[in-house]
Amino acid sequence: MKVITKEEKGDNYVCSVGHLKYMDNFLRKIVHQPKKMFGPYIKEGMTVMDLGCGGGFATITFARLAGRYGKVIAADLQDDMLAITKKRAEKAGLDRRIIFHKCSNDRIGYDGVADFVLAFFMIHETPDVPKLLKEVYGILKKGGLFYIAEPSFHVSRQQYETMIRDAQSAGFGIYRYPNVFLSRCVILKR
């Protein structure tokens, strides 16, 4: 999960803070509504991970959904993304519910457990998808859910299906296929 430039890796690279303005704007709040998308799966008191949290688009909603007895892990590879998420959480008065976790270049590195993990538009940026899927499987509690959304304009059907096979090889079962605009989505269950 090393941060590299588009020139170094072509179309398959980690989005930088500079790209946040394209992903985190007023239009996205209309198209991708975190409460509507994730609310059915996150209950008060749960431990939830926003893997590749970026600017905290889902993290803030997760903190509200998990409530004051819940916990949210905002995990990202980039310090700048974590700083933006922290600033937004402080502004919303939710920063005490959130653990800001910096991933290393080749692993998540979180030793706790979670009830729910989200990876929104980030799996395709990972150089070793099977390794990442195995690590998420180890983080989730038995019965925990892993919600994956990949951009349909960037990830082919074949790449998506390979990712699902890799997830099943890691031990996941298919729970549901949600319908999310401009996305290929699956919810996996441990």
Side-chain angles (χ1 to χ4, degrees):
M1 294 193 316
K2 182 181 176 195
V3 179
I4 56 177
T5 66
K6 186 172 182 173
E7 291 74 31
E8 290 173 309
K9 198 166 180 183
D11 290 332
N12 197 11
Y13 69 102
V14 176
C15 285
S16 68
V17 172
H19 288 92
L20 200 55
K21 63 185 170 201
Y22 302 113
M23 292 297 298
D24 233 359
N25 56 47
F26 76 95
L27 187 58
R28 184 174 186 200
K29 292 175 185 173
I30 296 167
V31 174
H32 294 147
Q33 299 172 20
K35 186 174 182 181
K36 184 176 179 182
M37 288 189 296
F38 312 120
Y41 312 106
I42 300 172
K43 305 299 177 213
E44 191 161 335
M46 290 177 90
T47 298
V48 181
M49 177 180 279
D50 187 1
L51 181 58
C53 68
F57 183 76
T59 306
I60 304 305
T61 299
F62 287 177
R64 289 185 178 112
L65 291 169
R68 64 182 189 170
Y69 299 111
K71 178 170 56 173
V72 177
I73 300 98
D76 206 287
L77 179 63
Q78 300 176 71
D79 288 321
D80 290 345
M81 293 292 198
L82 290 170
I84 290 167
T85 301
K86 185 171 181 147
K87 185 177 178 182
R88 289 178 176 175
E90 287 170 349
K91 184 177 179 183
L94 298 167
D95 54 305
R96 292 186 181 190
R97 297 181 188 177
I98 302 170
I99 296 168
F100 299 92
H101 175 78
K102 186 173 187 308
C103 302
S104 68
N105 286 340
D106 63 348
R107 63 187 299 259
I108 301 165
Y110 181 74
D111 294 328
V113 294
D115 300 289
F116 180 92
V117 175
L118 169 69
F120 204 96
F121 286 21
M122 64 79 54
I123 298 282
H124 67 278
E125 298 178 346
T126 305
D128 191 339
V129 173
K131 182 179 176 182
L132 174 75
L133 294 168
K134 287 175 188 170
E135 190 173 1
V136 172
Y137 186 86
I139 290 170
L140 278 169
K141 294 177 181 176
K142 185 175 171 102
L145 299 178
F146 184 23
Y147 193 120
I148 298 172
E150 286 290 275
S152 58
F153 53 86
H154 189 70
V155 174
S156 71
R157 169 70 59 191
Q158 182 179 0
Q159 290 170 309
Y160 171 72
E161 289 173 358
T162 298
M163 180 204 61
I164 290 175
R165 283 193 300 275
D166 289 342
Q168 290 173 313
S169 293
F172 284 105
I174 305 297
Y175 180 71
R176 185 168 288 151
Y177 290 100
N179 186 15
V180 177
F181 185 68
L182 292 176
S183 305
R184 301 186 194 285
C185 294
V186 64
I187 302 175
L188 305 168
K189 187 172 186 175
R190 183 184 195 285

